[in-house]
Amino acid sequence: MIQLKCIRWLPQLTWDGFAVTGVRQEPSNGGKQRIGILRLGGLGDFVLFMPALKAILHDYPVDTYDRYLITDRNGTSLVQMIEDVDKITVFEINGSRFIHNQIYRAKVLRTIRKLNLDILIDAALIRRIEGNDAIVRASGAKAIGFREQQDQYCERRYGNYAYQRLVDDHRWSTHEAFRYFHLTGQSDPSTFNILPTIELPCRPDTQNMFLIFPGAKFPERRWPPTRFAEVARFTHRETGWIPIAVGAPSDSESIDAMIDASSDLPWKHAKGKTIEDLCNLIASAQMVITNDSGPMHLAPALQVPTIAVVPGAEFTAYPNYPVDHPYLHIVHQEDTTCFDCKWNCIKKMKKKASAPCLVSISETEVCAMVAPLIKY
């Protein structure tokens, strides 16, 4: 039965193999080796990857290696803001289009093959035959990646042969940023700085405003917007700062509900469409209040005081940094005995509803976290 499940991937594997047939690879530049770094994923995921990226770039210096970053739009935008990337070639992929558009997919795979990579470090969150494993296979490089999980039988059957070295995957049992340490090849974890930082080329002046991100990609991570409204009311009353509602178009429902519940406040909507716009907006704020989403990692990396209201399903892996963070302050349910459930909640959980451990957090608890961070 399991083997039959994997057979469904044979047409895709055949297409991928056909796509790279006959590709003429580029010659190396002055005898340099070529290293590729593959990282696709969400905004927060790439922020957490940045310390490992810096370590990898340090270990593969530009005078010895031609360096290529294979990433998506979030990674492209963020990598331009960190140090030591002036001599790295960024190859941007539309991940969704790569999965669903076979013509685009073939073009991407041919381009990867043409790069003639010697080494490819695959830092994908989860290995997938139709995703990062396909890029690794197409590269023909000596690949380093995470060992697949027990439920990824097809990845073991069809993907492992493309990897020269597989690193034990400590997903769920360690924080995501520190998990990447194992890909860097370093042996001393005490030398690895887990906390990502982003230094803007020109940092904007701080303004008397605070940002609230009431949305999140998944409904289970969304604290009720009416409670964000109460926190906004408290913060504005205590400071006079202007509340700014921020989010993607998909967050409009949460934003509207938050503003409707606090229509007495002088709300403003954030304007801007790029990651750079978002970073500049965050850097100019006095404080950020958010759900467990990308901004909870991005704002602290920009050295802005951040309060994140988080559930416990992935507590060790994402929100709870294993070292004290000077800018990130998380609010979570006091009882943590059921945390790290990987979304297998022991309580009755309605579909497309906030996690019970998130709903149990009151606005009073969040306001108590806001109070000591206010600068009078």
Side-chain angles (χ1 to χ4, degrees):
M1 179 64 68
I2 295 179
Q3 292 184 358
L4 290 176
K5 178 182 178 181
C6 297
I7 288 176
R8 69 190 179 96
W9 292 112
L10 287 178
Q12 185 66 74
L13 292 168
T14 302
W15 171 260
D16 292 348
F18 173 76
V20 299
T21 300
V23 174
R24 181 176 296 179
Q25 295 180 304
E26 297 176 350
S28 60
N29 180 21
K32 289 184 179 181
Q33 285 194 301
R34 296 187 169 193
I35 179 172
I37 305 164
L38 173 61
R39 183 64 184 94
L40 304 174
L43 175 61
D45 295 328
F46 197 92
V47 172
L48 294 177
F49 175 60
M50 288 170 63
L53 175 60
K54 291 183 180 181
I56 292 170
L57 293 176
H58 178 270
D59 291 340
Y60 294 89
V62 69
D63 57 346
T64 309
Y65 294 89
D66 287 329
R67 308 177 301 180
Y68 298 85
L69 175 65
I70 306 165
T71 187
D72 49 25
R73 182 172 297 178
N74 289 330
T76 300
S77 300
L78 287 173
V79 78
Q80 295 171 349
M81 301 180 188
I82 69 174
E83 302 172 356
D84 302 327
V85 294
D86 54 326
K87 295 183 179 179
I88 182 171
T89 301
V90 180
F91 179 58
E92 185 177 304
I93 294 177
N94 183 318
S96 177
R97 191 179 177 193
F98 179 78
I99 298 296
H100 300 292
N101 186 318
Q102 293 298 322
I103 301 300
Y104 175 76
R105 179 187 184 89
K107 290 180 179 179
V108 169
L109 294 180
R110 289 179 67 84
T111 301
I112 297 297
R113 186 73 165 194
K114 188 177 180 181
L115 291 178
N116 194 18
L117 299 174
D118 296 288
I119 303 169
L120 178 60
I121 299 178
D122 176 13
L125 181 63
I126 301 175
R127 284 181 49 192
R128 288 287 181 258
I129 287 178
E130 75 278 24
N132 55 304
D133 267 12
I135 294 173
V136 170
R137 292 193 304 270
S139 73
K142 298 176 181 178
I144 302 168
F146 288 115
R147 195 179 307 278
E148 69 296 316
Q149 298 290 302
Q150 291 182 353
D151 61 340
Q152 294 176 282
Y153 176 86
C154 299
E155 281 73 9
R156 293 200 304 272
R157 187 171 182 83
Y158 293 126
N160 278 359
Y161 73 88
Y163 291 79
Q164 183 187 41
R165 181 164 69 89
L166 291 170
V167 177
D168 287 337
D169 190 349
H170 298 278
R171 194 183 329 148
W172 309 117
S173 63
T174 190
H175 194 272
E176 188 68 14
F178 189 72
R179 175 174 169 250
Y180 292 128
F181 164 79
H182 300 284
L183 285 179
T184 66
Q186 299 182 22
S187 58
D188 185 1
S190 65
T191 64
F192 184 73
N193 182 11
I194 190 176
L195 301 181
T197 57
I198 298 175
E199 298 294 340
L200 297 178
C202 183
R203 191 174 184 90
D205 294 332
T206 303
Q207 301 179 32
N208 289 329
M209 64 181 186
F210 64 99
L211 312 183
I212 294 189
F213 294 80
K217 184 176 181 180
F218 302 105
E220 297 88 349
R221 301 174 188 265
R222 298 174 195 155
W223 197 47
T226 53
R227 299 187 191 177
F228 274 116
E230 288 303 315
V231 175
R233 184 175 284 112
F234 170 82
T235 306
H236 175 69
R237 183 178 66 244
E238 295 297 313
T239 65
W241 298 340
I242 301 299
I244 310 294
V246 194
S250 58
D251 300 323
S252 58
E253 184 176 345
S254 296
I255 290 175
D256 291 344
M258 177 180 68
I259 293 177
D260 289 344
S262 53
S263 56
D264 54 307
L265 298 181
W267 283 102
K268 290 186 178 180
H269 283 274
K271 296 181 179 180
K273 299 181 179 180
T274 68
I275 298 297
E276 184 177 0
D277 292 335
L278 179 60
C279 288
N280 282 311
L281 177 67
I282 290 174
S284 63
Q286 298 279 1
M287 182 183 296
V288 169
I289 305 170
T290 179
N291 281 313
D292 181 2
S293 62
M296 80 160 284
H297 303 290
L298 182 60
L302 288 162
Q303 300 91 52
V304 176
T306 304
I307 295 174
V309 191
V310 305
E314 301 170 335
F315 192 66
T316 297
Y318 288 101
N320 190 30
Y321 282 77
V323 295
D324 290 337
H325 200 303
Y327 294 100
L328 178 61
H329 310 272
I330 60 174
V331 186
H332 58 83
Q333 176 181 279
E334 184 176 355
D335 180 7
T336 62
T337 54
C338 65
F339 277 25
D340 290 319
C341 68
K342 308 174 188 176
W343 299 109
N344 298 311
C345 187
I346 61 175
K347 301 179 181 180
K348 290 184 178 181
M349 187 171 171
K350 295 181 180 179
K351 189 176 182 180
K352 294 185 178 181
S354 303
C357 56
L358 190 60
V359 176
S360 68
I361 302 170
S362 70
E363 53 266 49
T364 303
E365 293 174 89
V366 179
C367 290
M369 185 69 75
V370 171
L373 298 179
I374 294 173
K375 299 177 182 179
Y376 292 98

